[in-house]
Amino acid sequence: MTTLSAPPVTEPLRPLELFGTDQLLSEDERDIAATVRKFVDTRLKPHVSDWFESAALPKELAKEFGKLGLLGMHLDGYGCAGTNAVSYGLACLELEAGDSGFRSFVSVQGSLSMFSIYRFGSEEQKQEWLPRLAAGEAIGCFGLTEPDFGSNPGGMRTRARRDGNDWVLNGTKMWITNGGLADVATVWAQTDEGVRGFVVPTDTPGFTANNIHKKLSLRASVTSELVLDNVRLPASAELPLARGLSAPLSCLNEARFGIVFGALGAARDSLETTLDYAQTREVFDRPLSSFQLTQEKLANMTLELGKGMLLALHLGRLKDGGGVRPEQVSLGKLNNVREALAIARECRTILGGSGITLEYSPLRHANNLESVLTYEGTSEMHLLSIGKALTGQAAFR
């Protein structure tokens, strides 16, 4: 008579080990990811639940991010690290594995505030602001979205009018990350010549930042309303190379690229947290991880995480090689944020009641990803961007 024995227990793998994605990275890229992950694990994760609960982000973290070389790391010169796009993406992934608020801070500082000055600013503007922003000695924000104009920024009501040699700005911007912390804001406004950008020190008379409270998402992040009431600026405050709406939209594309990687960090942390929990949580005298339904969930989530990582790396190589199209970034942002949110929610189901506490990360990540799903272009707008690329017809209006 043959006796059937239980299959041997194998050494568990981490989700992305199944895809061998580390083998697709250079040694420098792996080192950057490992350095940021260690910083997140030792400096940020021990405090993130307190910061999330108290809806605070310590301002002094800016200098720590700067010392690590994270601020504007994909830009060249002016104190910036000059890394490739993939390295920047991997840093975003590791930061968002801690919390979307950390990646949002770095993303807004480097890909919106700094990139707008780097790409469209005068040499004087670059010399004045970029070294300080790269070091975290100054904090920047990016004022494009308005209370009634998110997906349609071309309808913005903020206006800049000439008054002699000066510009005078009036208007309101909404949902501005870092606004209440910022020393400088890139503000976009309608003029008689079209949309223009302005570098606005936040201590300019008439400029006010009002922090938004009672948020259910991105709580470890400062989100603000910017009010410009007859803010008078010299002619030198205008970004000389920014002409039309394509200028701020190109900045948004830079930030979206970081999200393509960043959202995967939230998904990976959710999945790794849940795997560890399921291995030790006993249900009916067995580890929760040994049940078929649990393994089905874990396998499906791992599949989507790995697919998202392969897509992110492919887009990163395109960006480093010769450029990536905005519609391709839309593909990555749409897919990876959508799947990351689904993973975080599914992980919460495996954690059961424990999953609603800040002791475990998935529900915090899911709450944050609700914001990530909306900012830098809603899912609906990315779907329409992809649809336009496929059909040649714009369906935005």
Side-chain angles (χ1 to χ4, degrees):
M1 181 176 177
T2 302
T3 301
L4 297 177
S5 59
V9 177
T10 59
E11 185 68 25
L13 296 174
R14 296 283 89 178
L16 290 177
E17 288 181 296
L18 281 172
F19 290 82
T21 50
D22 266 5
Q23 299 172 38
L24 304 177
L25 306 177
S26 70
E27 184 177 353
D28 282 347
E29 290 164 350
R30 286 194 293 269
D31 287 345
I32 287 171
T35 298
V36 180
R37 184 168 191 171
K38 181 178 180 181
F39 173 77
V40 171
D41 286 346
T42 58
R43 175 68 180 96
L44 302 181
K45 279 190 176 180
H47 307 288
V48 66
S49 61
D50 292 331
W51 293 336
F52 188 90
E53 187 168 33
S54 62
L57 184 72
K59 190 171 184 177
E60 59 268 22
L61 286 179
K63 291 183 178 179
E64 297 184 49
F65 291 145
K67 185 176 181 180
L68 206 59
L70 295 173
L71 303 177
M73 62 184 288
H74 53 311
L75 307 179
D76 292 312
Y78 307 99
C80 301
T83 66
N84 67 357
V86 169
S87 294
Y88 169 60
L90 293 169
C92 287
L93 186 153
E94 297 301 340
L95 286 165
E96 197 144 358
D99 191 83
S100 298
F102 307 142
R103 198 267 310 142
S104 292
F105 181 97
V106 169
S107 211
V108 167
Q109 181 94 340
S111 289
L112 293 180
S113 173
M114 293 177 68
F115 182 80
S116 63
I117 297 171
Y118 179 85
R119 173 65 181 82
F120 301 108
S122 66
E123 188 58 33
E124 291 75 17
Q125 290 168 338
K126 295 176 187 178
Q127 293 288 353
E128 179 180 3
W129 288 109
L130 291 181
R132 294 164 59 195
L133 290 166
E137 295 170 0
I139 295 174
C141 67
F142 187 86
L144 177 63
T145 299
E146 297 190 358
D148 297 317
F149 296 95
S151 295
N152 178 27
M156 71 178 75
R157 295 195 181 104
T158 297
R159 290 198 60 83
R161 60 177 176 85
R162 294 185 186 273
D163 184 22
N165 292 326
D166 294 342
W167 287 97
V168 178
L169 276 63
N170 283 281
T172 303
K173 300 295 181 179
M174 194 64 169
W175 309 116
I176 308 304
T177 298
N178 297 352
L181 301 174
D183 302 286
V184 62
T186 299
V187 175
W188 302 91
Q190 297 278 12
T191 74
D192 290 340
E193 296 85 35
V195 173
R196 297 292 184 266
F198 299 88
V199 178
V200 185
T202 59
D203 60 359
T204 305
F207 182 99
T208 307
N210 302 310
N211 289 344
I212 297 168
H213 301 289
K214 298 183 179 180
K215 295 185 298 179
L216 297 175
S217 178
L218 281 182
R219 291 178 58 79
S221 177
V222 174
T223 310
S224 309
E225 172 196 48
L226 306 184
V227 178
L228 300 106
D229 182 11
N230 289 319
V231 172
R232 181 173 291 272
L233 302 169
S236 60
E238 182 185 358
L239 292 170
L241 300 181
R243 291 293 179 267
L245 196 59
S246 63
L249 293 183
S250 69
C251 300
L252 292 178
N253 212 48
E254 288 292 310
R256 288 183 193 119
F257 174 78
I259 294 172
V260 173
F261 280 83
L264 299 176
R268 188 196 69 191
D269 185 69
S270 295
L271 187 49
E272 289 182 344
T273 297
T274 301
L275 274 165
D276 291 341
Y277 176 89
Q279 293 283 61
T280 57
R281 174 76 163 102
E282 288 201 354
V283 181
F284 299 108
D285 303 319
R286 291 167 53 191
L288 180 57
S289 61
S290 70
F291 288 87
Q292 290 183 1
L293 287 177
T294 302
Q295 291 194 6
E296 180 189 28
K297 291 180 179 182
L298 296 172
N300 281 329
M301 290 188 289
T302 295
L303 183 62
E304 295 306 323
L305 174 64
K307 286 157 61 177
M309 187 67 179
L310 292 172
L311 174 57
L313 288 173
H314 176 61
L315 294 177
R317 297 300 180 210
L318 288 178
K319 187 171 173 61
D320 282 325
V324 62
R325 295 173 60 89
E327 311 90 82
Q328 293 173 314
V329 178
S330 285
L331 283 170
K333 201 265 186 181
L334 174 66
N335 180 79
N336 287 5
V337 177
R338 186 165 63 186
E339 296 306 323
L341 180 56
I343 287 170
R345 288 170 173 167
E346 188 78 298
C347 284
R348 211 292 304 164
T349 70
I350 296 175
L351 292 167
S354 296
I356 70 166
T357 72
L358 283 172
E359 182 180 356
Y360 297 95
S361 64
L363 189 54
R364 172 170 53 81
H365 285 309
N367 282 359
N368 287 335
L369 287 166
E370 291 287 353
S371 291
V372 181
L373 191 70
T374 298
Y375 69 35
E376 314 296 357
T378 64
S379 294
E380 291 82 358
M381 295 305 293
H382 289 300
L383 283 165
L384 294 179
S385 176
I386 295 165
K388 180 183 177 183
L390 293 173
T391 66
Q393 301 182 63
F396 299 97
R397 297 181 183 274

